[in-house]
Amino acid sequence: MNNVVNGIDMDAFQQFAEGVSQNPDISTARFNVQTRWAGQTRSVSTVKSYELRGKIYERNFHIASDEPTEILGTDTAPNPQELLMAALNACLTVAYVAIAASKGVTVNALSIETTGQLDLRGFLGLDETINPGYDEVQYSVHIDADGTPAQLEEIHTAVIQTSPNYANFSRAIRMVPKLVIAKK
């Protein structure tokens, strides 16, 4: 019988981690998302595959985005900022549950609330001295688990140290833009 904690097969998790540790030359994951404009402020992103440790895995997911009507959209889907926060929260959730499981701590309930404030003058290009993005993002983790307060603090610290999206939010990422203009 497998050792399952928080729905995570800990034997499989350990095998996966050992495989990554033993083969550093193929210890990467590469993700790709293609987004197409769907009119007005709406877009649809498609996830077709990802690469894990040198092997490509097929997927097929579509993620819609739109702006609220107050920001000239049609309010048919979350806006990009909400999707950004959802991606952070989802990544943190995986980390909390997996790290807790690795420590034998059962999570009974977990929720994360994230908030950020943008100054629209930066977004609209009205004042070039204003950051169009977030200067600060706050999040609160609400956890009900069978661990001690010290264990939960240890899990919290480990999440901050290992979550890819926490790192993406808290550290600068080198962006490599490229513009491809359609030929007429």
Side-chain angles (χ1 to χ4, degrees):
M1 180 172 208
N2 286 337
N3 177 18
V4 177
V5 181
N6 300 329
I8 297 181
D9 181 334
M10 295 311 300
D11 297 331
F13 182 80
Q14 184 63 34
Q15 288 175 343
F16 178 75
E18 286 174 7
V20 170
S21 176
Q22 293 170 359
N23 298 296
D25 291 343
I26 56 167
S27 64
T28 61
R30 178 182 300 274
F31 299 94
N32 177 280
V33 176
Q34 183 182 52
T35 304
R36 294 198 181 275
W37 176 51
Q40 199 169 348
T41 62
R42 191 168 158 74
S43 64
V44 177
S45 298
T46 303
V47 176
K48 293 182 180 180
S49 65
Y50 73 100
E51 184 179 327
L52 180 66
R53 302 183 65 218
K55 184 176 177 186
I56 295 175
Y57 296 88
E58 299 299 320
R59 295 166 57 86
N60 187 28
F61 295 106
H62 303 281
I63 306 160
S65 179
D66 194 1
E67 292 289 348
T69 53
E70 297 80 10
I71 309 178
L72 308 177
T74 57
D75 201 26
T76 61
N79 79 3
Q81 298 311 307
E82 293 159 334
L83 291 170
L84 181 66
M85 289 182 188
L88 172 64
N89 290 3
C91 188
L92 291 170
T93 297
V94 170
Y96 277 99
V97 171
I99 292 169
S102 74
K103 297 183 180 303
V105 173
T106 299
V107 175
N108 302 311
L110 174 72
S111 66
I112 301 172
E113 183 176 351
T114 302
T115 302
Q117 181 172 302
L118 299 173
D119 188 326
L120 296 176
R121 295 172 297 170
F123 163 71
L124 294 171
L126 301 174
D127 186 336
E128 64 186 38
T129 66
I130 295 175
N131 176 9
Y134 297 108
D135 290 321
E136 180 178 283
V137 170
Q138 307 89 30
Y139 74 95
S140 297
V141 179
H142 304 268
I143 189 166
D144 173 8
D146 69 3
T148 66
Q151 286 175 308
L152 297 178
E153 283 294 334
E154 185 180 328
I155 291 165
H156 179 70
T157 299
V159 168
I160 290 170
Q161 293 171 342
T162 62
S163 165
N165 280 357
Y166 182 89
N168 290 337
F169 262 77
S170 63
R171 302 177 191 149
I173 300 173
R174 181 172 33 108
M175 299 293 292
V176 183
K178 176 181 178 182
L179 175 64
V180 179
I181 300 173
K183 296 182 181 184
K184 295 181 181 190

